[in-house]
Amino acid sequence: MLFNSYEFIFIFMPVTVIVYFLLNRFRLIYASKLWLALSSLFFYCWWDVRYLPLLLGSIAFNYFMGRTISHMQNATERKRKLALAFAIIMNLLLLIYYKYADFFIGNVNALFDSDVPLLKIVLPLGISFFTFTQIAYLVDAYRGKAKEYNVISYVLFVTFYPHLIAGPILHHKEMMPQFDRLRGKRFDYSNVAKGLFLLSIGLFKKVVIADSFAPVASNGFDVLSQLNFIQAWTTSLSYTLQLYYDFSGYSDMAIGVALLFNIILPINFNSPYKSLNIQDFWRRWHMTLSRFLREYIYFPLGGSRKGTTRTHINSMLTMLIGGLWHGAGWTFVFWGFMHGFAQFIHRIWQKANIKLPKWVAWFITFQFINLTWVFFRATSWDNAIKVLKGMVGLNGIGIASLDKTIVLGLAVFMIVAVLCRNSMQMLEGFKPGWKTAVFAAALFCIAVVYFNKISEFLYFSF
């Protein structure tokens, strides 16, 4: 079920909220948690009920292993590590089968000139997110930071529908106290006002802004066989802004919907195109994924504790894994490599203590990000090279192809992304009133008009 759909906005969301607080009103606390867990599973089934057993099987396995690891505090360290390793490997094997099996077969066929048929497996929605969420839980259970003895609470932790499909990636310890807090069981008009405010902003970002740039990006990447300078730059910048407003919109809506239940999700997006260096970008873009990569991959590899060379290697490996997490393709791996290499350059630059004017630092950072998104979006190497050739002017300038409407849209929404306050900053000083109500209502109504162009969020495919 999509956040940007009539059935979600006008039926599913209000029904789940109303029933949840009615059950709590009559002090049916356990029933309210069960209702929310079952509603979240229904939300997932709306896409394809065939993958419900996969989700439930993953939850059952990780719940059992988490409890087992938690109860092994008196066991030897070796046994505890083996249990954790087994649980993580099983999760990764599940992810590898569904997400990377055809990628592996295709590469084997290309390398050995074989003809092994592809499995053509449909990627289950949200598998990367609920797998990483549960891996984090297992590691926290091993470290003694997470204990879960209630199966309904664990199901709700994994499946809570505002975050289930495209994040944020959650920590057990930051969510479970909220689900159990009695104060959060009462209907809170302030949180509802904030939630609807964010929901309206996020909906507008997705269906009005992001989806308006989508045809321009798709035409350049998927339709045209050759791009001139103007076409290539409008293509790359359109995708850069499409991805920005698409993911930003989802993040706003996820936090907004969770607030209706008095649940505060971690911020996952913080104006990344304002970044002045690559490190700052990863502190702002997909923040919970960055946190996961740092805490569960980079630090266990040794982080920066084992010398300069090892630090660079650990950073590169982490970014390569981050690239591969996004998709099964060498373009994603190369995207991760480019970001790993940029981290390497950034560390050298810091040691040299060279200061650049802020606008120069911003321009270099943004151009690098825009360049790397070309590989992120491209369906093949040739597809990426086609866009890059156009961007450096190898196919002519193409002044006649300049569309002033597209250029104006790119300019306006780039300025908004770089200079304006983001939705989280707007929420800091939020006070319900007629001005904010009119603003949110206007955005919501405009967005609803665009519902005939319903499309999935880009991160659904990751």
Side-chain angles (χ1 to χ4, degrees), residues 289-326:
L289 175 62
S290 298
R291 177 179 67 176
F292 181 94
L293 294 174
R294 182 179 66 251
E295 295 183 6
Y296 299 101
I297 297 178
Y298 179 68
F299 287 164
L301 286 173
S304 59
R305 302 187 305 273
K306 298 185 178 181
T308 302
T309 301
R310 184 63 180 273
T311 297
H312 295 319
I313 293 174
N314 293 341
S315 179
M316 178 60 76
L317 287 173
T318 301
M319 294 314 302
L320 288 173
I321 292 171
L324 197 57
W325 177 87
H326 280 91

Side-chain angles (χ1 to χ4, degrees), residues 12 33-44 52 55-56 59 130 133-134 151-165 170 179:
F12 180 81
K33 292 175 69 173
L34 179 62
W35 161 256
L36 197 48
L38 292 176
S39 299
S40 298
L41 292 173
F42 177 83
F43 174 83
Y44 188 81
L52 179 61
L55 175 61
L56 292 177
I59 290 172
F130 68 69
T133 292
Q134 295 186 100
V151 66
I152 298 301
S153 295
Y154 184 76
V155 171
L156 182 55
F157 157 66
V158 176
T159 66
F160 185 47
Y161 72 80
H163 89 95
L164 174 61
I165 306 301
L170 304 177
F179 288 131

Side-chain angles (χ1 to χ4, degrees), residues 395-410:
N395 299 317
I397 302 301
I399 295 296
S401 62
L402 183 66
D403 188 322
K404 294 180 180 178
T405 302
I406 294 175
V407 172
L408 178 61
L410 290 171

Side-chain angles (χ1 to χ4, degrees), residues 23-305:
L23 291 171
N24 284 316
R25 176 69 178 82
F26 292 104
R27 298 183 180 180
L28 300 172
I29 307 300
Y30 183 82
S32 70
K33 292 175 69 173
L34 179 62
W35 161 256
L36 197 48
L38 292 176
S39 299
S40 298
L41 292 173
F42 177 83
F43 174 83
Y44 188 81
C45 289
W46 188 267
W47 173 70
D48 194 334
V49 70
R50 292 176 299 173
Y51 286 102
L52 179 61
L54 174 68
L55 175 61
L56 292 177
S58 174
I59 290 172
F61 172 78
N62 286 292
Y63 173 72
F64 171 77
M65 290 306 302
R67 289 199 62 179
T68 300
I69 293 169
S70 294
H71 283 93
M72 292 178 67
Q73 299 301 322
N74 296 325
T76 64
E77 189 67 15
R78 182 172 179 273
K79 288 183 178 180
R80 296 182 68 244
K81 285 185 176 180
L82 284 174
L84 176 64
F86 169 74
I88 292 176
I89 289 171
M90 294 303 293
N91 276 280
L92 293 178
L93 287 176
L94 180 73
L95 191 60
I96 288 169
Y97 173 75
Y98 279 101
K99 197 166 184 176
Y100 305 105
D102 280 346
F103 174 63
F104 175 76
I105 293 172
N107 280 281
V108 168
N109 286 340
L111 186 63
F112 297 103
D113 197 25
S114 57
D115 193 27
V116 179
L118 299 179
L119 300 177
K120 296 181 179 179
I121 301 169
V122 177
L123 183 67
L125 206 60
I127 187 171
S128 297
F129 288 94
F130 68 69
T131 300
F132 268 33
T133 292
Q134 295 186 100
I135 288 176
Y137 162 71
L138 292 170
V139 175
D140 288 348
Y142 169 79
R143 294 171 176 172
K145 296 180 179 179
K147 294 182 180 180
E148 184 52 68
Y149 304 117
N150 185 311
V151 66
I152 298 301
S153 295
Y154 184 76
V155 171
L156 182 55
F157 157 66
V158 176
T159 66
F160 185 47
Y161 72 80
H163 89 95
L164 174 61
I165 306 301
I169 298 171
L170 304 177
H171 279 189
H172 187 270
K173 63 182 179 182
E174 68 192 1
M175 295 307 298
M176 297 319 299
Q178 295 191 72
F179 288 131
D180 293 329
R181 189 173 56 217
L182 292 178
R183 187 174 55 188
K185 307 300 181 183
R186 297 193 296 268
F187 191 81
D188 189 319
Y189 289 97
S190 176
N191 280 341
V192 169
K194 292 177 181 177
L196 294 178
F197 179 73
L198 283 179
L199 181 70
S200 300
I201 293 176
L203 195 62
F204 183 88
K205 287 180 180 178
K206 165 59 179 171
V207 303
V208 179
I209 305 176
D211 287 356
S212 294
F213 286 122
V216 182
S218 296
N219 185 57
F221 277 102
D222 305 328
V223 178
L224 298 177
S225 59
Q226 181 175 291
L227 302 175
N228 58 45
F229 183 82
I230 298 295
Q231 290 171 328
W233 277 96
T234 54
T235 293
S236 67
L237 289 173
S238 291
Y239 181 70
T240 292
L241 289 182
Q242 179 198 358
L243 184 60
Y244 179 95
Y245 284 103
D246 190 283
F247 191 38
S248 173
Y250 182 92
S251 300
D252 286 348
M253 295 184 75
I255 292 176
V257 175
L259 276 173
L260 301 181
F261 297 97
N262 298 323
I263 300 297
I264 299 175
L265 294 181
I267 297 173
N268 207 26
F269 197 92
N270 184 24
S271 299
Y273 291 172
K274 294 179 181 179
S275 304
L276 301 182
N277 57 64
I278 193 63
Q279 192 175 68
D280 189 29
F281 173 80
W282 279 104
R283 288 173 179 154
R284 294 169 174 267
W285 177 273
H286 208 330
M287 296 158 69
T288 57
L289 175 62
S290 298
R291 177 179 67 176
F292 181 94
L293 294 174
R294 182 179 66 251
E295 295 183 6
Y296 299 101
I297 297 178
Y298 179 68
F299 287 164
L301 286 173
S304 59
R305 302 187 305 273

Side-chain angles (χ1 to χ4, degrees), residues 2 236 339:
L2 299 174
S236 67
H339 277 270

